[in-house]
Amino acid sequence: IAHLGSGWDFDAFVTRDGWVFRFPRRAECAATLDAERRIHDLVARALPSSVAIPRFDLLGEPSAAFPYRFAGYRFISGVPADAVSPALLTTTALTIGLALGAIHGIPDDEARASGLREWPTDDPDHQRWLERTIAAANALRGLDPTVDRSLDWLATHGSRTPRPFPGPLR
């Protein structure tokens, strides 16, 4: 087993035979696995077959060895988006755009049936999340002029929760 990475909510490990296991760091993270599975299934139906997403193949139950449910997936090989060869950037951008278009084309009723809910913008946690995210993004200053311009725009326009979108949800 090799450590693949850690995030705020999960630690991930990969086995020699191509399995990735995500272990929640807290109980509330483990509680999201069922909803995440439904959302993965929904998105998988919308995406072209050329775009791979994790499939919940295994769900581990709590035990004396680990107190939370955890998930196992087949490993999807690839490279991070910031490591793509410059010769492939146009193709990568097109693929990402097509995938996002497919995801945003999922009808609202199907998304809600899969458990997705709109995050109310008047929720105080929403504003705190936005402020924390902008503060974390500021650590990226100096990486690229586009990043700096985006952060400048956020400092001027993006520090407040936007008004609710009046159109159909996507």
Side-chain angles (χ1 to χ4, degrees), residues 61-109:
E61 295 300 326
S63 70
F66 190 73
Y68 311 124
R69 294 177 74 205
F70 59 93
Y73 319 81
R74 296 304 295 172
F75 181 76
I76 299 172
S77 63
V79 298
D82 62 349
V84 171
S85 163
L88 296 175
L89 285 178
T90 301
T91 302
T92 302
L94 177 62
T95 302
I96 291 170
L98 290 171
L100 288 173
I103 291 168
H104 286 266
I106 295 171
D108 182 49
D109 58 336

Side-chain angles (χ1 to χ4, degrees), residues 28-76:
E28 63 267 20
C29 301
T32 66
L33 291 174
D34 289 328
E36 189 176 314
R37 184 181 209 168
R38 289 190 307 272
I39 293 165
H40 280 215
D41 290 345
L42 171 71
V43 170
R45 291 190 305 270
L47 289 174
S49 61
S50 61
V51 178
I53 67 166
R55 300 258 186 205
F56 278 74
D57 293 312
L58 302 170
L59 282 173
E61 295 300 326
S63 70
F66 190 73
Y68 311 124
R69 294 177 74 205
F70 59 93
Y73 319 81
R74 296 304 295 172
F75 181 76
I76 299 172

